[in-house]
């Protein structure tokens, strides 16, 4: 006959097996593209602008938005981004110059974004931007909910041609996200991402160029990205590592036989 100790021991084994199943499911996750949202235009002379951004069905969704400002005056920065009233978090930025000419590119993100939702993204600048702003968003499935980003690479300059940008990825099976900005007085610069990158957008507007590209990677380590720019007098290029859900190391439980209750003998005197 089973005792209470036996039942408790069986229950504990079931709990441990359930935890092992949960951790194993995390190990199989990988990053996939959920959706791309690009504004129709950017406008000039405004301090903010709004466009619709959507996600589709998925899990562990991270919404990543890029913004590019290129100007022949003092460049403005993004003060905030909100999506459906929820604040995005500033990630990183790089800039070339602070006056005439100048360019700036930056990333903002919302981890754990709601699936299957279309809502307005509102971008607010530090001041009026006479040459407009280019921006757009991508949503990804399978992004680590605790530490969604790893390494970062930066390159800036003013000369045309191919430029190299180095980044050391910290995790296997990550994705690289590349945001590029450039300006030229009286003309729109050109931009060609490295072969293998997919383009979310590559837009010319007024005297500005803004582009956002992405690519899956393999084993963690040092990488060199070579992008090409034509006809600039200021450009900025920023790449970040997007990290997949990380497997969790677990110890294999060892089960031992449960103790068996025994009767305590009772001694009586013999007559």
């Amino acid at each position: 006959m089973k005792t209470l100790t036996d039942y408790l021991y069986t229950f504990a084994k079931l709990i441990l097996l359930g935890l092992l199943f949960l951790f194993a499911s995390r190990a199989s996750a990988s990053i996939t593209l959920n959706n791309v949202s690009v504004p129709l235009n950017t406008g000039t002379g405004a301090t903010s602008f709004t466009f619709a951004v959507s996600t589709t069905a998925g899990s562990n969704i991270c919404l990543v938005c890029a913004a590019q400002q290129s100007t022949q005056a003092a460049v403005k920065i993004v003060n905030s981004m909100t999506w459906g009233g929820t604040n995005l978090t500033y990630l990183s930025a790089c800039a070339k110059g602070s006056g005439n000419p100048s360019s700036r590119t930056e990333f903002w993100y919302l981890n754990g974004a709601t699936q299957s939702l279309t809502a307005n993204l509102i971008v607010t600048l530090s001041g009026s931007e006479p040459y407009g702003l280019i921006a757009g968003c991508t949503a990804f499935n399978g992004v680590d909910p605790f530490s969604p980003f790893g390494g970062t690479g930066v390159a800036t300059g003013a000369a045309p041609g191919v430029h190299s940008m180095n980044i050391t990825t910290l995790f296997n099976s990550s994705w690289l996200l590349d945001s590029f900005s450039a300006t030229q007085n009286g003309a729109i610069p050109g931009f060609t991402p490295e072969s293998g990158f997919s383009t979310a957008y590559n837009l010319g507007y007024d005297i500005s160029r803004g582009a956002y590209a992405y690519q899956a990677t393999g084993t963690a380590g040092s990488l060199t990205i070579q992008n090409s720019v034509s006809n600039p007098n200021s450009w900025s290029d920023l790449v970040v590592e997007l990290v997949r859900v990380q497997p969790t190391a677990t110890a294999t439980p060892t089960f031992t036989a449960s103790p068996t209750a025994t009767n305590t003998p009772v001694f009586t005197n013999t007559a």
Side-chain angles (χ1 to χ4, degrees):
M1 181 176 180
K2 287 189 175 181
T3 66
L4 177 61
T5 303
D6 295 322
Y7 286 113
L8 290 175
Y9 183 73
T10 301
F11 179 72
K13 287 196 293 184
L14 291 174
I15 292 295
L16 285 173
L17 290 172
L19 290 173
L20 285 173
F21 176 80
L22 175 64
F23 292 140
S25 67
R26 287 194 63 191
S28 62
S30 60
I31 295 175
T32 58
L33 182 66
N34 178 284
N35 198 35
V36 177
S37 300
V38 181
L40 297 177
N41 59 67
T42 59
T44 58
T47 58
S48 68
F49 75 98
T50 302
F51 65 99
V53 170
S54 300
T55 59
T56 61
S59 61
N60 292 310
I61 299 173
C62 186
L63 181 68
V64 186
C65 299
Q68 297 91 20
Q69 306 96 287
S70 302
T71 182
Q72 298 297 311
V75 71
K76 305 302 186 292
I77 66 173
V78 174
N79 273 349
S80 66
M81 286 191 188
T82 61
W83 182 57
T86 300
N87 290 324
L88 274 69
T89 300
Y90 167 79
L91 175 60
S92 186
C94 72
K96 171 64 175 178
S98 58
N100 182 4
S102 56
S103 60
R104 178 182 171 91
T105 184
E106 52 192 285
F107 278 117
W108 293 65
Y109 72 97
L110 175 62
N111 211 16
T114 304
Q115 65 174 331
S116 303
L117 176 65
T118 297
N120 282 335
L121 184 87
I122 302 176
V123 183
T124 303
L125 302 177
S126 60
S128 175
E129 177 53 76
Y131 297 97
L133 175 78
I134 298 173
C137 300
T138 53
F140 298 93
N141 301 314
V143 178
D144 193 90
F146 305 107
S147 299
F149 296 96
T152 301
V154 172
T156 61
V162 176
H163 63 272
S164 296
M165 183 166 44
N166 298 318
I167 180 172
T168 299
T169 57
L170 306 180
F171 300 91
N172 296 332
S173 304
S174 297
W175 282 40
L176 298 179
L177 312 182
D178 189 346
S179 179
F180 175 84
S181 175
T183 186
Q184 171 62 271
N185 190 16
I188 297 175
F191 174 74
T192 303
E194 179 175 280
S195 176
F197 275 79
S198 299
T199 302
Y201 62 86
N202 190 353
L203 301 176
Y205 187 83
D206 200 88
I207 61 170
S208 302
R209 168 69 59 182
Y212 181 9
Y214 50 86
Q215 181 189 51
T217 66
T219 305
S222 179
L223 298 172
T224 299
I225 301 168
Q226 293 186 315
N227 296 328
S228 178
V229 57
S230 61
N231 195 39
N233 59 7
S234 175
W235 56 263
S236 303
D237 206 348
L238 171 66
V239 62
V240 297
E241 176 190 7
L242 185 67
V243 178
R244 71 182 178 98
V245 174
Q246 293 300 298
T248 303
T250 58
T252 302
T254 301
F255 299 105
T256 58
S258 58
T260 302
T262 59
N263 292 326
T264 302
V266 177
F267 299 98
T268 58
N269 294 323
T270 58

